[in-house]
Amino acid sequence: MGSSPDEQVPLPGQWPVDPQEDVPISEDRIWVDGCFDFSHHGEPLHSPLRVLGVLNARLNDSHPGHAGAMLQARRLGTALYVGIHSDQAILEHKGPTVMSLEERVAAVDACRWATQSVPHAPYVTYLPWVSHYGCKYVVHGDDITSDSDGNDCYRFVKAAGRFRVVKRTPGISTTDLVGRMLLCTKNHFVKSVKKSLAGEEWSGSAEERQKSAADLLQRIKDYATDESGLRPGPRVWTWTGSGTAKVDHVVEEAGSFETLVDGKGPKPGQRIVYVDGGFDLFSSGHIEFLRCVTEVEESNGRERGWYDPEQQAKRLKEHGEDYPPAYLVAGIHDDDVINHWKGLNYPIMNIFERGLCVLQCRYIHAVIFSAPFTPSQPYLEALPLGVPDVVYHGPTTFIPLTYDPYAGPKKMGIFREVHQHAFQHVNAGEIVGRILKSREAYEARQRAKLDKGVAEDLVKSREQAST
């Protein structure tokens, strides 16, 4: 079954994650697998087509949009198992990864629609792995994925009739993101969230602009769903204020909020928590920060008896469900605000792409697009859910600040900084640095992908001709 240890069937007790014994196969258990390198989800707004000197208009090398693929797969069942290939397997079949296996597992674990991550899953999907975790069907996009020999990675599950196809969701690929980094392009920036959603900031005819805007809004609504992918989840707002108020602390404004998605609001007893940032290249650093915030709030909840059996029983009786002690609201800054502070071509991902990354994260309950860089007292007092109980920030920043943007919440006595964590050094600058150091390897990877793309197109044509 292949030379890599990842591509052998483990013995009992040696599976990467429990259970160690085979689970009865269920049609409601779905399997997806992939590299999950980078967290990229957004629409390709004004994205450059020429990447690394090669025309790549097809974007045929991307998964159906990582979280987008998991969302579609989750909607087909009640549990989603996500196989994640090892660094070694990916290097052998595809090329070098940007994120380590540990970082990629953290990203999958943070996705609201993932039930269980399975690291070291084989690059070629073998039935024993899928069946061991009780999954009847394997879900993938309608593009062909091949191994290093040019063979279809899903040939075994297809032959067994256990393969389900979902439509590839439009999105930026890893190749496109790498291109933005290396070419220092800015044409992916979004000038105005509201104008984009109104169909005024797109290329093409008026009809095409309206369709693009409607598609984007629908995708935001799709991502603003709960763990089932079918019911309401996070709330989404946009914030409108002056350009000066968005960029720094000179002008403080309450601004105005407009509802994009009216999802689930906070429940009785939940503390309202506010965090903000650029969340560019939504990485393990961002994810671990949000997990730490959740962990601190859970600890706070334990201290006030939130997890006492009688309190849990009371919530179940009165509200029909239990829920966590905190409700996290994430403010996301506009592209021009981030560029003002970071310069160059930052952010690498535009605000919609970054917003979708944050929306799919299981630690987040609400999102505010176009949040000001400085969460001033007037802004915090005007938040749709009222003044937050606490405002969190991480221990370090990638932005060279000339003032303290959290002076407002500190003055209000609601500011708190999370402790240092293992991924605090991982930010957009770190990821770009990794890629620049390995530029030759990534360029070779893209050339190999183009060669594979030709073979994959031939395989797909044959499949279509035989149906």
Side-chain angles (χ1 to χ4, degrees):
M1 285 192 179
S3 57
S4 171
D6 296 340
E7 300 190 354
Q8 306 299 325
V9 178
L11 297 172
Q14 296 181 5
W15 290 91
V17 293
D18 290 337
Q20 293 300 320
E21 299 297 327
D22 288 353
V23 174
I25 294 175
S26 168
E27 294 203 4
D28 289 329
R29 285 184 175 228
I30 306 298
W31 175 279
V32 297
D33 54 24
C35 304
F36 300 99
D37 199 19
F38 277 121
S39 294
H40 53 74
H41 313 274
E43 300 284 355
L45 302 177
H46 320 299
S47 59
L49 295 180
R50 187 161 293 275
V51 177
L52 303 175
V54 181
L55 188 63
N56 186 35
R58 295 176 302 121
L59 298 182
N60 209 25
D61 58 310
S62 66
H63 289 283
H66 293 186
M70 286 191 272
L71 170 58
Q72 292 190 75
R74 179 62 176 78
R75 286 173 167 174
L76 298 178
T78 57
L80 180 63
Y81 285 73
V82 185
I84 307 169
H85 311 318
S86 69
D87 298 341
Q88 177 187 346
I90 298 170
L91 182 63
E92 178 183 341
H93 292 281
K94 187 176 183 179
T97 60
V98 178
M99 315 300 287
S100 68
L101 177 61
E102 185 182 13
E103 291 171 322
R104 292 183 286 114
V105 168
V108 170
D109 285 343
C111 180
R112 187 179 300 110
W113 306 298
T115 305
Q116 173 71 61
S117 63
V118 183
H120 296 283
Y123 198 84
V124 175
T125 308
Y126 296 118
L127 285 168
W129 278 75
V130 177
S131 298
H132 172 80
Y133 289 99
C135 300
K136 176 67 178 289
Y137 296 112
V138 176
V139 172
H140 190 67
D142 57 4
D143 55 318
I144 298 293
T145 300
S146 60
D147 60 19
S148 57
D149 296 323
N151 296 316
D152 187 349
C153 289
Y154 297 98
R155 56 191 182 275
F156 300 116
V157 291
K158 287 180 177 179
R162 293 170 60 179
F163 186 73
R164 293 291 180 268
V165 176
V166 293
K167 184 179 180 181
R168 282 182 72 247
T169 54
I172 51 173
S173 69
T174 303
T175 306
D176 197 4
L177 287 174
V178 172
R180 292 180 188 179
M181 296 174 198
L182 298 181
L183 301 177
C184 289
T185 56
K186 290 186 181 181
N187 55 350
H188 59 283
F189 284 10
V190 171
K191 295 179 181 178
S192 167
V193 166
K194 293 187 72 172
K195 287 184 178 180
S196 291
L197 291 172
E200 299 174 11
E201 201 181 293
W202 300 76
S203 58
S205 66
E207 183 179 352
E208 290 170 334
R209 290 196 301 271
Q210 289 299 317
K211 184 180 184 306
S212 296
D215 289 345
L216 176 57
L217 180 58
Q218 183 57 54
R219 195 153 194 219
I220 292 172
K221 290 178 178 178
D222 287 340
Y223 274 53
T225 52
D226 70 355
E227 62 275 4
S228 73
L230 299 170
R231 297 184 294 267
R235 285 187 171 180
V236 184
W237 297 279
T238 58
W239 184 74
T240 301
S242 68
T244 305
K246 283 187 179 183
V247 168
D248 55 34
H249 65 303
V250 176
V251 174
E252 296 185 350
E253 294 176 357
S256 60
F257 294 85
E258 183 177 327
T259 299
L260 271 185
V261 182
D262 189 17
K264 294 171 64 176
K267 299 281 189 175
Q270 281 188 311
R271 279 162 50 94
I272 306 300
V273 174
Y274 183 78
V275 298
D276 63 3
F279 301 103
D280 195 13
L281 296 175
F282 195 66
S283 67
S284 53
H286 303 118
I287 293 167
E288 186 63 11
F289 163 69
L290 296 173
R291 194 196 65 79
C292 287
V293 169
T294 300
E295 187 178 65
V296 170
E297 285 298 311
E298 287 175 347
S299 177
N300 178 285
R302 276 190 290 275
E303 292 177 3
R304 54 193 174 100
W306 186 269
Y307 295 103
D308 292 348
E310 59 269 23
Q311 291 296 325
Q312 291 179 313
K314 182 180 179 181
R315 289 193 294 272
L316 284 169
K317 181 179 179 181
E318 294 180 357
H319 306 288
E321 63 175 342
D322 199 4
Y323 47 87
Y327 185 96
L328 268 68
V329 181
I332 306 174
H333 309 317
D334 277 334
D335 296 345
D336 60 345
V337 171
I338 296 174
N339 188 254
H340 170 82
W341 286 102
K342 291 188 179 180
L344 301 175
N345 62 325
Y346 290 104
I348 306 300
M349 300 170 77
N350 66 46
I351 188 168
F352 291 121
E353 295 160 354
R354 293 180 283 113
L356 290 173
C357 288
V358 175
L359 261 180
Q360 59 84 40
C361 182
R362 67 171 70 250
Y363 306 122
I364 294 298
H365 302 93
V367 165
I368 300 172
F369 281 93
S370 302
F373 187 77
T374 300
S376 65
Q377 184 167 343
Y379 168 79
L380 293 172
E381 290 175 344
L383 287 174
L385 301 179
V387 179
D389 294 282
V390 61
V391 174
Y392 282 93
H393 187 58
T396 58
T397 179
F398 177 42
I399 297 178
L401 297 174
T402 57
Y403 73 98
D404 182 3
Y406 296 97
K410 286 179 180 177
K411 182 180 178 182
M412 297 165 70
I414 59 173
F415 180 79
R416 185 164 181 176
E417 190 171 86
V418 299
H419 56 77
Q420 295 188 353
H421 55 77
F423 295 127
Q424 67 185 50
H425 66 289
V426 185
N427 51 39
E430 161 75 13
I431 295 171
V432 170
R434 292 181 189 181
I435 289 173
L436 292 178
K437 287 179 183 177
S438 304
R439 178 169 182 170
E440 288 186 9
Y442 284 108
E443 289 177 335
R445 165 179 162 173
Q446 305 316 322
R447 287 191 293 271
K449 279 184 180 181
L450 286 177
D451 293 338
K452 281 179 64 179
V454 174
E456 288 166 359
D457 285 345
L458 289 174
V459 172
K460 189 171 183 178
S461 297
R462 292 194 198 103
E463 285 189 352
Q464 291 173 342
S466 63
T467 57

